[in-house]
Amino acid sequence: MKKPARRDGAPDRKNMKRRPSRSENIKQTDRSGVAQWSTRSDVAGGKPSRPDAVAKNKRGKPKSAKPQRAQAQATKISNAKPARHQYSDADRPSGPAQGDGMRLQKVLAQAGVASRRAAEELISQGRVEVDGRIVIEQGLRIDPENAVVRVDGVRVVVQKDLVHLALNKPRGWQSTMSDDLGRPCVGDIVSERVTAGQRLFHVGRLDADTEGLLLLTNDGDLAHRLMHPSFEVSKTYMATVSGAIVRGVGKKLKEGVELDDGPAKVDTFTVLDISEGKSLVRVTLHEGRKHIVRRLFDAVGHPVIRLVRTDIGAVALGDQRPGTLRVLGRGEVGGLYGAVGL
């Protein structure tokens, strides 16, 4: 009988045999007396832990090794909330660069084309053209000093410093900005504008005895083209001539008359009235030589008594009084630019 090691009758744990753990090998002896080593897991039916042990399935055949999954690359997971508005290169507009400058609808509004809201409608309808390209996107910024803007094919002047004026030059006034002899001249009419800093000059000339439409501007390129004969800008005159115009005079003027500096002709010829030995006629031509209308009528035997220029291209004198100025409208300026290819 074992004696307890402790007075209270509890067995002494130090003297007790320690049971092997699962990972420790256990020596077993089969019926033949040959010692065999196994683990507690083997005894319990678990997998062998010896390297030379082979696991078998229920049928007694060796188990095939299971393919191991490749470890996926660790990815960093962010718990940050996405931004409310996210933009990528694909979301950006493919139109022209916005850049610096002034918004197109504001430029049109300042040029007097339409209000900003109406200008946006014109843009969305494809009626606005910038530098030869139709613009349909909103918010495009342009340089008003260099951009060429057209609405419905008509150019819009967007430069604030450009001035286009129509003057009804009175009879007896000189077509100069200043006169050394002190005679009345065009410069006297626009003296206040010149004093304020505007650099104006007249487009072409009218002799002192001719009255009517004379253009003034500070756009040198436009003025040069309007005066150049290659652009053939039409000019219309009302002429009161001596004598009754007979049949054949208009045909002769249209076919051409030989003058001292070469042949000249009119584009259109219309007799408006004949009374008291005088005739009122309207002629249109694109010639710009000095005294060309007077010399043409002298050549056909009908000297000019009074001559008034009423139209230059798209600009008409209308009922404007002699000696007065008016600012050209958008359509008139656009018509002038279109006539000379600007």
Side-chain angles (χ1 to χ4, degrees):
M1 182 175 178
K2 294 182 180 180
K3 296 181 180 181
R6 295 174 56 178
R7 292 182 180 181
D8 55 359
D12 190 359
R13 294 182 180 275
K14 294 182 179 179
N15 298 327
M16 294 178 64
K17 293 183 179 180
R18 185 176 60 87
R19 297 176 64 184
S21 63
R22 291 181 179 271
S23 59
E24 291 179 347
N25 294 334
I26 300 175
K27 184 177 180 181
Q28 297 179 347
T29 305
D30 57 5
R31 294 180 180 178
S32 60
V34 179
Q36 292 183 353
W37 292 90
S38 64
T39 62
R40 286 187 59 88
S41 61
D42 294 336
V43 176
K47 295 181 180 180
S49 60
R50 293 177 62 85
D52 54 348
V54 179
K56 299 181 179 180
N57 56 18
K58 295 179 179 180
R59 298 180 181 180
K61 296 182 179 180
K63 291 184 178 181
S64 59
K66 294 183 179 180
Q68 296 182 356
R69 297 180 181 178
Q71 291 184 352
Q73 294 182 355
T75 58
K76 295 182 179 180
I77 300 176
S78 175
N79 293 325
K81 294 182 179 180
R84 181 173 297 180
H85 301 289
Q86 296 184 2
Y87 299 95
S88 62
D89 293 338
D91 298 329
R92 296 177 182 175
S94 58
Q98 300 298 311
D100 298 330
M102 186 182 298
R103 291 182 180 273
L104 180 57
Q105 53 265 43
K106 183 177 180 180
V107 172
L108 295 176
Q110 290 186 354
V113 176
S115 64
R116 291 194 187 184
R117 185 175 297 274
E120 292 176 355
E121 292 294 330
L122 293 175
I123 294 172
S124 62
Q125 293 171 5
R127 298 168 59 184
V128 181
E129 180 182 332
V130 178
D131 294 334
R133 190 184 70 87
I134 295 177
V135 177
I136 58 175
E137 57 270 15
Q138 302 292 338
L140 174 68
R141 293 183 179 272
I142 66 172
D143 180 8
E145 298 297 325
N146 299 312
V148 178
V149 181
R150 289 185 171 87
V151 177
D152 294 334
V154 179
R155 182 169 177 177
V156 178
V157 178
V158 296
Q159 298 184 35
K160 295 181 180 180
D161 57 343
L162 288 183
V163 180
H164 306 86
L165 303 173
L167 167 67
N168 187 351
K169 187 190 85 65
R171 187 175 184 178
W173 287 56
Q174 306 296 318
S175 294
T176 59
M177 299 305 293
S178 62
D179 188 73
D180 297 337
L181 301 177
R183 295 172 296 182
C185 62
V186 171
D188 298 336
I189 301 175
V190 295
S191 59
E192 293 184 1
R193 289 177 173 268
V194 175
T195 304
Q198 289 185 357
R199 183 179 176 272
L200 295 172
F201 45 87
H202 49 85
V203 181
R205 301 173 64 89
L206 289 176
D207 60 74
D209 292 333
T210 303
E211 55 189 298
L213 182 60
L214 187 66
L215 300 179
L216 294 99
T217 183
N218 58 357
D219 190 341
D221 194 12
L222 175 63
H224 171 73
R225 295 195 178 202
L226 287 174
M227 292 185 291
H228 202 280
S230 62
F231 292 99
E232 299 183 351
V233 179
S234 62
K235 305 173 185 65
T236 302
Y237 296 83
M238 299 285 288
T240 302
V241 299
S242 176
I245 297 293
V246 296
R247 211 176 180 120
V249 172
K251 182 179 180 181
K252 185 177 182 179
L253 289 173
K254 289 180 181 179
E255 292 177 350
V257 177
E258 189 67 33
L259 302 177
D260 297 339
D261 53 354
K265 63 180 180 179
V266 300
D267 299 328
T268 64
F269 179 90
T270 306
V271 178
L272 301 177
D273 187 31
I274 299 176
S275 64
E276 300 180 357
K278 295 183 293 185
S279 300
L280 179 63
V281 298
R282 181 175 60 220
V283 294
T284 301
L285 66 163
H286 57 268
E287 291 275 357
R289 285 179 279 176
K290 186 176 181 179
H291 303 306
I292 186 65
V293 177
R294 295 180 182 275
R295 290 193 291 155
L296 279 171
F297 280 103
D298 286 340
V300 295
H302 296 276
V304 174
I305 300 172
R306 184 187 177 189
L307 186 63
V308 180
R309 183 160 66 187
T310 60
D311 299 82
I312 300 177
V315 182
L317 185 62
D319 56 356
Q320 187 174 342
R321 293 178 298 174
T324 59
L325 284 169
R326 71 174 180 88
V327 178
L328 295 184
R330 181 177 64 88
E332 292 175 315
V333 176
L336 291 177
Y337 276 104
V340 296
L342 288 176

